[in-house]
């Protein structure tokens, strides 16, 4: 049975655990016929390679990549060529970071956030999308697809703080990347705005204290209630949507944001709607 990524090679960034959105995207990509290459921060490569062994098919050892390191970005095309002389057809950017001063239960008040920390969050969470696009462009095949991970920043979310600002910047970066790579090689660039997924990053945002866990549970309840079709916080649906964008099945979609959140971002939930 053929898959929608048959014959394609995709580069996946952002695998940390097997609950990561990036891990699920890599899994679905393999199931749909793709050859998968992965990257990771150099000091975590051994862990990432162990996690990758849980994928349906074996992948080459992860390429070390720090998206804030110009030398590593410059070296990326040659490292990709070693593993995929045919080039890559798709790239997933699943990378974001904010210091504890900016996000989560230990964050400083929004107006007191240190400027250097906000700059670092912007660099990793937004600027790096353009940095990665520039790095992979020489080895991307014409008509390929770049996908990034978003979280709807149109409202001020508890605990999310300056990461919400970085995601708003990411949405703008995506539009400009779409222009550049589209004119260069007819490559598409889009974001997936996922609902809250039970990942390591989500736990870091909400914390582990009882009050923080309660806040995360309330967010989950709200999201499930606001979603007309329900939202279970799983990454499988997000992974499938990423693969759809990496495929040729949305050939005229670029510079866009695809919401994969059960519809909660576009619906209002009131307590009387709560099941039971």
């Amino acid at each position: 049975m053929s898959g929608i990524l048959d014959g394609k090679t995709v580069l996946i960034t952002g695998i940390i655990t097997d609950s990561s959105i990036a891990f699920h995207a890599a899994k679905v990509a393999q199931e749909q016929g793709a050859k998968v290459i992965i990257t990771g921060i150099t000091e975590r490569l051994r862990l990432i390679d162990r996690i990758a062994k849980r994928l349906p098919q074996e992948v080459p050892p992860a390429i070390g990549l720090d998206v804030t390191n110009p030398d590593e970005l410059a070296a990326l095309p040659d490292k990709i060529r070693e593993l995929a002389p045919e080039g890559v057809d798709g790239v997933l950017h699943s990378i974001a970071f904010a210091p504890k001063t900016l996000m989560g239960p230990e964050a400083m008040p929004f107006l007191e956030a240190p400027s250097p920390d906000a700059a670092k969050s912007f660099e990793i969470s937004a600027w790096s999308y353009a940095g990665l696009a520039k790095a992979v462009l020489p080895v991307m095949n014409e008509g390929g697809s770049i996908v990034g991970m978003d979280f709807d920043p149109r409202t001020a979310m508890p605990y999310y703080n300056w990461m919400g600002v970085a995601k708003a910047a990411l949405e703008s970066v995506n539009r400009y990347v779409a222009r550049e790579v589209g004119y260069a090689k007819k490559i598409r660039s889009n974001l997936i705005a996922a609902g809250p997924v039970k990942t390591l990053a989500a736990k870091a945002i909400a914390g582990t204290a009882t009050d923080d866990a309660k806040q995360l549970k309330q967010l989950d309840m709200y999201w499930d209630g606001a979603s007309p079709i329900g939202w279970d916080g799983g990454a499988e649906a997000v992974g499938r949507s990423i693969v759809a964008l990496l495929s040729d099945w949305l050939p005229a979609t670029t510079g866009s944001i695809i919401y994969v959140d059960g519809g909660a971002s576009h619906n209002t939930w009131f307590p009387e709607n709560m099941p039971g």
Side-chain angles (χ1 to χ4, degrees), residues 12-100:
I12 303 288
T13 71
I15 293 178
I16 300 176
T17 71
D18 57 5
S19 67
S20 300
I21 289 173
F23 179 90
H24 285 270
K27 174 178 175 290
V28 177
Q30 286 186 336
E31 292 170 349
Q32 291 299 317
K35 173 182 177 180
V36 171
I37 300 171
I38 64 174
T39 75
I41 297 293
T42 302
E43 57 266 27
R44 295 181 179 174
L45 290 184
R46 292 180 64 184
L47 172 61
I48 292 168
D49 285 336
R50 286 201 300 272
I51 296 297
K53 291 184 183 300
R54 301 172 190 173
L55 290 168
Q57 301 168 24
E58 185 176 355
V59 298
I63 297 172
L65 178 64
D66 177 349
V67 290
T68 67
N69 186 320
D71 293 335
E72 292 191 9
L73 284 171
L76 183 59
D78 286 338
K79 292 183 178 180
I80 291 174
R81 287 188 186 101
E82 292 175 4
L83 301 176
E86 71 279 6
V88 295
D89 304 286
V91 175
L92 172 65
H93 177 284
S94 187
I95 300 169
F97 172 78
K100 291 182 178 179

Side-chain angles (χ1 to χ4, degrees), residues 5-6 17 23 26 30 35 43 48 105 114 121 125 131 146 158 168 179 186-187 199 204 210 236 246:
L5 294 184
D6 275 355
T17 71
F23 179 90
Q30 286 186 336
K35 173 182 177 180
E43 57 266 27
I48 292 168
S121 177
S125 306
I146 304 173
R179 282 177 54 89
K186 299 188 184 301
I187 294 167
T199 63
T210 301
E236 179 75 13
L246 291 174

Side-chain angles (χ1 to χ4, degrees), residues 28-255:
V28 177
Q30 286 186 336
E31 292 170 349
Q32 291 299 317
K35 173 182 177 180
V36 171
I37 300 171
I38 64 174
T39 75
I41 297 293
T42 302
E43 57 266 27
R44 295 181 179 174
L45 290 184
R46 292 180 64 184
L47 172 61
I48 292 168
D49 285 336
R50 286 201 300 272
I51 296 297
K53 291 184 183 300
R54 301 172 190 173
L55 290 168
Q57 301 168 24
E58 185 176 355
V59 298
I63 297 172
L65 178 64
D66 177 349
V67 290
T68 67
N69 186 320
D71 293 335
E72 292 191 9
L73 284 171
L76 183 59
D78 286 338
K79 292 183 178 180
I80 291 174
R81 287 188 186 101
E82 292 175 4
L83 301 176
E86 71 279 6
V88 295
D89 304 286
V91 175
L92 172 65
H93 177 284
S94 187
I95 300 169
F97 172 78
K100 291 182 178 179
T101 54
L102 303 185
M103 181 179 69
E106 299 175 25
M108 299 173 67
F110 183 82
L111 297 180
E112 297 178 17
S115 173
D117 289 357
K120 176 61 68 174
S121 177
F122 170 82
E123 180 184 21
I124 297 176
S125 306
W127 177 89
S128 72
Y129 189 73
L132 182 62
K134 177 184 176 182
V136 300
L137 191 58
V139 291
M140 278 203 75
N141 297 320
E142 186 165 317
S145 174
I146 304 173
V147 180
M149 294 310 305
D150 192 12
F151 185 75
D152 188 2
R154 294 175 299 171
T155 58
M157 297 289 293
Y159 291 148
Y160 213 52
N161 296 355
W162 282 92
M163 180 58 82
V165 175
K167 291 297 187 182
L170 174 65
E171 293 187 350
S172 183
V173 170
N174 172 57
R175 291 188 286 271
Y176 283 93
V177 167
R179 282 177 54 89
E180 297 290 321
V181 300
Y183 285 128
K185 285 188 173 181
K186 299 188 184 301
I187 294 167
R188 293 162 287 126
S189 173
N190 296 285
L191 302 179
I192 293 278
V197 177
K198 295 178 175 63
T199 63
L200 190 63
K203 292 178 181 177
I205 294 169
T208 56
T210 301
D211 288 345
D212 301 323
K214 182 179 179 180
Q215 291 278 357
L216 184 60
K217 185 176 180 180
Q218 288 175 342
L219 176 62
D220 288 340
M221 286 180 61
Y222 174 83
W223 217 276
D224 189 40
S227 167
I229 58 175
W231 179 255
D232 63 4
E236 179 75 13
V238 182
R240 291 187 182 188
S241 300
I242 291 168
V243 167
L245 279 176
L246 291 174
S247 77
D248 296 329
W249 282 94
L250 288 90
T253 300
T254 193

